[in-house]
Amino acid sequence: MSEATVASLSLESPLIDFYDVNSRVAHRLQQQGIDRIDDLLLQIPICYQDMTRIVPLSALVIGSTVQVQGTITQVKKQYARRPMLLCKIQDKSASLNIRWFHFTANQQVRLQVGQIFRGFGEIRQGRQGLEMVHPQYRVFSPQSFVPVAEHYTPIYPKFEGVSASTLSQLIGKVLDHFYQQLLTIDWLPEAVQTRYQLSNLAEVLEILHRPSPVLSLQQLNERTHPIFKRLIFEELLAHHLGLKQARMNKRYSQAPAIVTRGSLSQRLQDELPFALTQGQQQVLKTIQQDLQNSQPMARLIQGDVGSGKTIVAILAALHAIEAGYQVALMAPTELLAEQHCRVIRNYLSDYDLKIAWLSSSLTKKQRNEQLQAIASHEAAFIIGTHALFQKDVIFHKLGLMIIDEQHRFGVAQRLQLQQKGTDGSPHQLILSATPIPRTLAMTFFADLDVSIIDMLPSGRLPIETILLSSQRKTVLIERIRSIVQKNQQVYWVCPLIEMSEQVAAQAVTQMFTTLKEQLLDCRIGYLHGKMTAVEKEAVMADYQAKKIDILVATTVIEVGIDVPNATLIVLENAERLGLSQLHQLRGRVGRGTQQSYCVLLYHPPISKTAQKRLSVMRDCNDGFEIAKEDLAIRGPGDLLGTEQTGLFRFRLADLSRDYRWLSSVRAAAHYIEQTHPTIIKPLISRWLPRGLDYSLV
Ligand code: ADP
Ligand code: MG
């Protein structure tokens, strides 16, 4: 490629056009997500090494990682339990041993007495004095002058087929070549930079890739240096703007305007054994108004566990069905989807409505029958798991999509669902699994409207939470017996913690056997991930029908399961679970009018934070309060479900550390929309070159 063409390149040009990238390297980088020249500049070093100075051998500190240099005075093979290579070096002040446990013949040839050795590594205390094991090193003759590095050495994430030094050199060349242009890509308005004290981007990139040795290495490595604030802020901003954009796009798309008299919904309300709470009524009314618009609704319903979100969703569904549309309801686990199916079939048994069911455990024949019913509109209400996402699921006239326990699904899936509409996008109703504090919700669900059901149905008694050392487990047996005698039911949960489903299944079956021996007159069942869908469903149905008194289970029952007659839940290893998960599990009881109990079993001794968590659980029943505490203790990962879904995978930002900036990020986004709308697109594409499809980021 000629120099002239190169001069016309911009930072947004494909990397492959940059003259110094031979196409093999460019191709490999491209495969790993680096398409454009500026993508390269946003490669964030994992850490930095100081190879700018040489530390005298007399000044070495055990445990430090440093660069040393000296004349080789001795090289020999040693045989302890295995062969090793030992090399002694010396400078004016002292000497140091260098040791290798793996070495090659070639290496021995190069390490000649009298040559100069320069190495970088950690200083350890060896048997024969200080030593460095397996350093990075080079050897040169005493006559040659080899300069030390001018700046700290950034260590980049590994890219397959591209060496660290190739990547480093390439980034250096880009920085040199585009120096002037870097000044023009700092799109953040000055007001934003000043207000939030964000450094200038050209300077930030220069420091990021070639930090001067006068800077603090520690600040760089701990990412507390101000350059990181700029990058993190910009990344959060780009994600937030991306979500807002997704919402704007939705506004431009068409949805069916669903206008009905609401007779079906009213009929079911009249038939319910309870009256809706005011909170439920309010939210239902809002949804009804949303549905009448020809812009797609995108509404998140937040509410504490047990606040009755499901019935609101079902009533909303009846509006769409009455207007002649299909409704899809999706749940994150088969168990929950099946429960919804059972409940809805039960409610609507006299409504002359076909309900279809889709899950991955259907046989091919069953599946085809269901698909047929969906495509022909014979089925109006379609319930299922992720199976609803699949390509071959074709709706005849989808008007409303309901997603239950939202935090188990990622943004990508949320967006994917929109494609399922036949004339435009369907309306979307999303039920949250976990209450989320306002700032978080507003930043991370910026593509959604949020409604809150802020009360529980009347007559509910607060769950009483008891902390119990696992050494005193036996006192529980009598408690369980008395509960069963009152015809109430019990969950015993053995959580899955950093161990395989297999081990969790064993824990469940063991506890099942133990309880069986001690509670001879109780009917006990068990449930774990290793059972087939059919087995699980049969057990759950028995539990629901009160044919089982005590259910020993893994956390498969964590979300959504609703058996109001269950009044005691025992959570083993409670000290190892996060607050939100504990609250979610506890929410399996306290769903009826009986007094319910939650026993948190812990193995002493427990850490301070675990103690804090458990006492928060004991003292507080309010999900929103607990979420606030969880945020303070653990950051928002657990709340947002980032672990499960890969939701918001950032290059640099770490929500547990950076969530305090979220309100500033929101304010900055608002300002930019008002004053600098043209920078929104480039900002988003700089950080999310492949769009909001987080599964690819
Ligand atoms: P969640 O909001 O956790 O999903 P559910 O929708 O599963 O809660 O509802 C919990 C239980 O409360 C269910 O058994 C449901 O039938 C019942 N329920 C819902 N609304 C009311 C109400 N207004 N009054 C009494 N019980 C209700
Ligand atoms: Mg629910």
Side-chain angles (χ1 to χ4, degrees):
M1 185 150 303
S2 75
E3 285 290 329
T5 329
V6 169
S8 70
L9 288 179
S10 82
L11 280 163
E12 282 135 69
S13 306
L15 187 59
I16 226 149
D17 293 347
F18 188 55
Y19 68 113
D20 261 336
V21 186
N22 68 49
S23 59
R24 187 184 53 84
V25 170
H27 188 69
R28 294 229 165 106
L29 287 171
Q30 198 175 23
Q31 277 172 342
Q32 293 163 79
I34 302 191
D35 299 315
R36 303 189 330 195
I37 297 175
D38 58 354
D39 289 341
L40 202 59
L41 291 179
L42 286 180
Q43 288 314 304
I44 313 290
I46 304 163
C47 66
Y48 297 88
Q49 293 178 344
D50 183 2
M51 302 210 208
T52 64
R53 359 178 247 139
I54 289 168
V55 178
L57 298 182
S58 59
L60 298 176
V61 178
I62 294 170
S64 62
T65 301
V66 291
Q67 181 165 252
V68 294
Q69 179 170 316
T71 311
I72 301 177
T73 56
Q74 190 184 35
V75 182
K76 65 172 179 190
K77 265 206 255 183
Q78 268 188 345
Y79 293 90
R81 244 164 292 148
R82 47 183 172 164
M84 55 181 133
L85 186 65
L86 189 72
C87 164
K88 217 180 197 40
I89 63 166
Q90 186 157 29
D91 68 4
K92 281 188 213 115
S93 62
S95 65
L96 177 70
N97 291 325
I98 315 287
R99 198 184 293 280
W100 288 270
F101 296 103
H102 310 282
F103 53 94
T104 61
N106 182 26
Q107 204 173 343
Q108 287 176 65
V109 174
R110 279 195 295 143
L111 293 167
Q112 293 291 336
V113 172
Q115 294 288 85
I116 307 293
F117 176 98
R118 184 182 290 170
F120 181 85
E122 194 186 331
I123 303 297
R124 297 201 210 160
Q125 179 65 58
R127 237 182 256 162
Q128 295 135 355
L130 295 185
E131 62 180 31
M132 197 180 254
V133 178
H134 283 232
Q136 299 173 42
Y137 72 97
R138 61 202 296 180
V139 176
F140 45 88
S141 82
Q143 286 79 37
S144 44
F145 170 72
V146 181
V148 290
E150 279 171 44
H151 45 75
Y152 293 138
T153 311
I155 307 299
Y156 295 98
K158 283 212 164 25
F159 288 95
E160 222 166 289
V162 183
S163 76
S165 64
T166 307
L167 191 66
S168 219
Q169 280 170 20
L170 190 56
I171 292 178
K173 279 186 182 142
V174 169
L175 282 174
D176 288 338
H177 185 87
F178 291 98
Y179 191 73
Q180 283 307 316
Q181 277 194 44
L182 285 182
L183 299 172
T184 65
I185 59 162
D186 193 351
W187 302 306
L188 285 195
E190 224 170 283
V192 171
Q193 298 197 28
T194 318
R195 170 97 198 250
Y196 303 108
Q197 298 175 335
L198 306 175
S199 324
N200 153 296
L201 188 65
E203 198 182 308
V204 165
L205 291 175
E206 183 67 32
I207 295 177
L208 183 72
H209 298 295
R210 297 197 282 218
S212 141
V214 302
L215 300 174
S216 148
L217 188 67
Q218 191 184 355
Q219 272 195 355
L220 287 166
N221 278 334
E222 289 172 0
R223 299 186 167 177
T224 47
H225 188 278
I227 61 162
F228 291 106
K229 176 167 178 196
R230 156 73 200 238
L231 292 167
I232 292 166
F233 195 94
E234 194 178 303
E235 180 171 36
L236 290 170
L237 187 64
H239 281 250
H240 182 58
L241 286 167
L243 284 171
K244 289 184 96 172
Q245 195 105 101
R247 173 182 176 149
M248 286 307 285
N249 294 342
K250 235 179 279 176
R251 292 231 168 105
Y252 290 125
S253 60
Q254 283 284 315
I258 292 174
V259 187
T260 60
R261 288 193 316 183
S263 343
L264 283 182
S265 163
Q266 194 53 54
R267 174 174 162 196
L268 179 57
Q269 283 185 59
D270 295 343
E271 290 167 2
L272 285 176
F274 50 77
L276 294 186
T277 62
Q278 246 184 347
Q280 288 170 315
Q281 284 174 25
Q282 188 57 50
V283 170
L284 185 60
K285 211 165 122 196
T286 312
I287 296 170
Q288 206 177 329
Q289 282 160 359
D290 286 348
L291 290 176
Q292 292 177 1
N293 286 328
S294 56
Q295 289 165 350
M297 163 174 81
R299 186 166 291 280
L300 172 71
I301 307 298
Q302 284 226 66
D304 208 343
V305 223
S307 57
K309 296 179 286 282
T310 319
I311 190 67
V312 174
I314 298 172
L315 293 167
L318 289 178
H319 279 281
I321 291 171
E322 185 174 331
Y325 288 94
Q326 288 174 299
V327 175
L329 165 62
M330 187 168 55
T333 64
E334 192 132 332
L335 220 49
L336 183 53
E338 244 150 2
Q339 172 185 290
H340 283 328
C341 200
R342 203 163 44 228
V343 168
I344 291 169
R345 284 201 165 125
N346 190 20
Y347 278 145
L348 305 180
S349 55
D350 296 336
Y351 282 55
D352 191 25
L353 251 180
K354 185 170 165 73
I355 295 167
W357 160 249
L358 262 193
S359 83
S360 46
S361 62
L362 293 184
T363 64
K364 197 157 179 156
K365 180 157 170 280
Q366 290 170 324
R367 183 179 163 82
N368 283 337
E369 279 167 17
Q370 299 296 314
L371 288 179
Q372 181 57 33
I374 298 168
S376 67
H377 203 158
E378 185 196 340
F381 211 150
I382 299 100
I383 300 164
T385 56
H386 296 78
L388 289 182
F389 285 128
Q390 274 148 23
K391 277 218 173 59
D392 58 348
V393 184
I394 295 161
F395 294 90
H396 178 254
K397 206 174 163 194
L398 183 62
L400 172 64
M401 186 94 214
I402 303 167
I403 307 178
D404 193 16
E405 304 292 354
Q406 175 273 335
H407 90 235
R408 296 306 164 101
F409 296 107
V411 177
Q413 287 163 315
R414 197 153 92 208
L415 299 174
Q416 217 173 331
L417 273 181
Q418 270 172 263
Q419 329 277 312
K420 291 280 182 193
T422 22
D423 41 357
S425 302
H427 294 283
Q428 276 187 56
L429 182 63
I430 294 163
L431 312 181
S432 83
T434 310
I436 295 165
R438 216 175 123 78
T439 323
L440 269 188
M442 286 176 70
T443 314
F444 287 99
F445 300 115
D447 58 331
L448 305 172
D449 293 312
V450 180
S451 300
I452 298 178
I453 301 180
D454 55 359
M455 58 181 83
L456 294 177
S458 61
R460 298 266 176 90
L461 298 167
I463 301 166
E464 198 178 308
T465 301
I466 300 138
L467 310 190
L468 191 68
S469 155
S470 59
Q471 291 153 349
R472 301 185 51 223
K473 238 187 230 179
T474 40
V475 307
L476 268 174
I477 300 298
E478 284 321 303
R479 187 70 169 262
I480 292 176
R481 202 191 306 277
S482 76
I483 295 226
V484 172
Q485 270 161 6
K486 284 192 278 180
N487 280 325
Q488 296 170 6
Q489 289 162 285
V490 177
Y491 292 103
W492 186 295
V493 184
C494 313
L496 183 93
I497 307 152
E498 300 155 33
M499 53 182 184
S500 63
E501 288 269 357
Q502 186 68 43
V503 182
Q506 271 166 14
V508 164
T509 42
Q510 251 164 35
M511 185 42 69
F512 167 76
T513 320
T514 312
L515 289 177
K516 229 174 150 64
E517 282 161 8
Q518 299 187 19
L519 292 158
L520 289 174
D521 40 358
C522 296
R523 296 163 302 173
I524 308 178
Y526 63 88
L527 203 59
H528 58 68
K530 285 272 150 190
M531 292 158 68
T532 67
V534 176
E535 289 168 338
K536 280 192 257 184
E537 164 63 0
V539 172
M540 208 56 227
D542 280 351
Y543 190 61
Q544 207 106 36
K546 302 190 196 174
K547 290 186 199 154
I548 291 176
D549 303 309
I550 303 164
L551 182 60
V552 186
T554 57
T555 45
V556 283
I557 56 126
E558 179 184 344
V559 288
I561 297 300
D562 183 47
V563 180
N565 189 51
T567 57
L568 169 64
I569 185 163
V570 179
L571 300 177
E572 284 204 82
N573 292 316
E575 78 279 8
R576 291 158 80 176
L577 297 175
L579 270 178
S580 303
Q581 197 180 8
L582 285 168
H583 181 64
Q584 206 31 246
L585 282 163
R586 176 170 65 182
R588 294 314 109 213
V589 299
R591 301 182 146 245
T593 48
Q594 316 276 11
Q595 175 62 52
S596 291
Y597 304 90
C598 170
V599 176
L600 303 176
L601 281 181
Y602 61 89
H603 287 267
I606 56 174
S607 71
K608 272 232 158 64
T609 37
Q611 259 172 37
K612 171 109 202 284
R613 274 204 299 271
L614 294 182
S615 51
V616 168
M617 285 300 291
R618 186 191 49 211
D619 301 337
C620 181
N621 260 310
D622 178 337
F624 285 94
E625 278 304 313
I626 288 177
K628 261 193 229 158
E629 293 285 344
D630 204 8
L631 194 60
I633 302 177
R634 302 220 307 176
D638 198 38
L639 289 176
L640 291 170
T642 39
E643 282 85 34
Q644 295 94 332
T645 57
L647 175 70
F648 310 117
R649 224 173 289 149
F650 298 109
R651 296 181 199 206
L652 193 54
D654 170 354
L655 287 180
S656 56
R657 180 192 60 201
D658 305 326
Y659 72 87
R660 287 173 193 82
W661 291 340
L662 293 181
S663 7
S664 308
V665 165
R666 259 200 354 267
H670 184 72
Y671 176 80
I672 288 170
E673 283 166 337
Q674 301 301 313
T675 57
H676 295 70
T678 51
I679 67 165
I680 293 177
K681 238 196 173 135
L683 257 183
I684 296 172
S685 90
R686 177 188 283 170
W687 288 94
L688 293 159
R690 301 193 175 185
L692 269 176
D693 188 350
Y694 286 89
S695 55
L696 293 176
V697 172

